[in-house]
Amino acid sequence: MSDFQFAKSTAPARAVYVAGIIGVTALIAIGLLALTGGSDRLADRAQNRDIIARAAALSNRGQVGLAQDQFYTGDTPQLAQAALQTNLQTLAESFGIQIDVIRADEIEQIDNMVRLNLTLNGVAPEEELGEFLHGVGTLKPAVIVEQLSLRRARTARSEQGRKIAFQTRLYGMALR
């Protein structure tokens, strides 16, 4: 039989010590990840319970969830959709935004409400786009942005500032 001896007699002990530290560190990291994941789930559950409670309170009071001034009015849904279109055009003009196309999409009947769908295509100066979107968010009657696509617009070299081309699908609501 041959006897094997390490050149450095402390190498095996050092290797076991380093492996132990790595193992303990890995276990602590896994434990911390499990704890933070659990608290996120608890927070999500609490938020969902809060949303359900608010929805139940609104349905118990017989409210739809929006105040009367949040709905578009018109003799027909098409006229209410035209009012929505006019509001958006006026808002865009106030921020110097060029609306190329406003397409009136299909009007949907949902229970006692009507969903007035529109699609907007336009070009906006980069500095003004955020203010325009904030204006859309605070517009009364309410406008809900369903989808927003942004890309850099083509501009001539002589133009100052960058422009953003956007397409957005949005809608307003009207009562039947």
Side-chain angles (χ1 to χ4, degrees):
M1 260 196 180
S2 68
D3 289 332
F4 178 78
Q5 291 186 0
F6 286 97
K8 294 183 179 180
S9 60
T10 59
R14 191 176 306 152
V16 170
Y17 178 72
V18 169
I21 289 175
I22 291 172
V24 168
T25 304
L27 287 174
I28 290 172
I30 290 170
L32 287 174
L33 286 174
L35 284 175
T36 59
S39 65
D40 288 346
R41 278 184 268 144
L42 289 175
D44 288 344
R45 286 182 188 160
Q47 183 181 13
N48 288 340
R49 274 190 236 112
D50 183 47
I51 291 170
I52 291 169
R54 283 187 288 157
L58 287 174
S59 67
N60 288 341
R61 288 189 285 177
Q63 293 181 354
V64 182
L66 294 175
Q68 274 311 110
D69 66 342
Q70 298 294 321
F71 292 98
Y72 284 87
T73 58
D75 292 338
T76 65
Q78 290 78 11
L79 290 174
Q81 192 174 37
L84 169 61
Q85 183 175 346
T86 302
N87 283 359
L88 290 170
Q89 283 175 326
T90 304
L91 182 67
E93 288 171 4
S94 71
F95 288 105
I97 293 175
Q98 172 189 347
I99 301 290
D100 297 328
V101 175
I102 294 183
R103 185 178 71 224
D105 295 331
E106 182 179 348
I107 294 173
E108 300 174 39
Q109 305 284 332
I110 305 170
D111 296 330
N112 63 339
M113 293 184 286
V114 179
R115 181 174 159 159
L116 313 166
N117 297 307
L118 289 178
T119 300
L120 270 69
N121 294 341
V123 177
E126 188 176 37
E127 313 81 47
E128 299 296 329
L129 185 61
E131 291 296 321
F132 171 71
L133 292 174
H134 180 265
V136 169
T138 58
L139 202 61
K140 289 201 183 198
V143 175
I144 295 96
V145 176
E146 185 173 21
Q147 182 180 15
L148 177 65
S149 300
L150 304 173
R151 65 178 171 76
R152 189 170 183 178
R154 294 183 180 157
T155 57
R157 291 183 186 208
S158 61
E159 288 186 50
Q160 294 292 330
R162 293 193 317 187
K163 294 197 175 189
I164 305 294
F166 65 92
Q167 178 180 28
T168 182
R169 286 190 349 212
L170 41 81
Y171 63 92
M173 301 298 287
L175 294 174
R176 279 210 266 182

